[in-house]
Amino acid sequence: MNVVDEYVINVNTSAILNEYDEAGALCALVLEGNKIVKVKMSPLSVIERSIEYYGNGLQGAIKGARNALGNISMPPVMICGKLGIYWFPSKSITHDDCVWFSIDHIEDYYSLSNKGLKVIFRDGTDITIDSNYSRFDNKVNRARKLQYIMENRTNGKQRNPYSQMKNFMIVRDPARKHYSVDSGE
């Protein structure tokens, strides 16, 4: 297992879990393809660092998700829209045992008899988390919805409220140094 000081999420990263090191510091275990990378940062710090790397901030990502999905708790976040990287937390991000998931790497998930949930990734890797099916399914669906909305917005497919405006001309008044709109009516 590789041990690194910092890590930035990429398209191959599928999940981030927690682990405490020998000194008791919270670290991140990153699943990337067929390898695990131990990062000397908390899972939340890896999320924050990754969002910042791609040009935003965690609070901005949360605010953007709430703008698209409504004022929900524990919203998914867009790590990088250009690369299609959308993630969601298994529980409140303030909990040390919060697991973060990439929406694009989840193949399936199902309930276990002990009230846990097994999550299976596209590469065949699986993990068991402390969650129930309906709660996790809701988080997956929210993340997919966020991805759909944000991709439509950035690809210019969103509804344009100004599309029904009539033709107009913008006229500059040189004496007053301002502009006015002439609708031609």
Side-chain angles (χ1 to χ4, degrees), residues 144-168:
R144 291 196 195 288
K145 185 175 181 180
L146 176 65
Q147 184 176 30
Y148 175 80
I149 290 169
M150 298 310 283
E151 287 178 1
N152 279 335
R153 286 180 179 178
T154 57
N155 290 329
K157 295 179 183 174
Q158 75 180 45
R159 181 180 63 86
N160 184 350
Y162 307 108
S163 64
Q164 296 179 7
M165 290 183 78
K166 297 181 180 180
N167 290 338
F168 58 90

Side-chain angles (χ1 to χ4, degrees), residues 74-120:
M74 296 178 282
V77 293
M78 178 176 67
I79 304 290
C80 178
K82 181 91 171 160
L83 296 175
I85 304 174
Y86 294 81
W87 283 61
F88 66 94
S90 65
K91 56 177 59 175
S92 171
I93 64 175
T94 60
H95 290 124
D96 287 350
D97 63 339
C98 173
V99 178
W100 286 87
F101 293 94
S102 165
I103 192 62
D104 285 334
H105 288 273
I106 295 174
E107 178 72 28
D108 199 5
Y109 44 94
Y110 58 88
S111 295
L112 299 171
S113 59
N114 62 357
K115 297 185 181 179
L117 184 86
K118 182 166 286 228
V119 180
I120 303 165

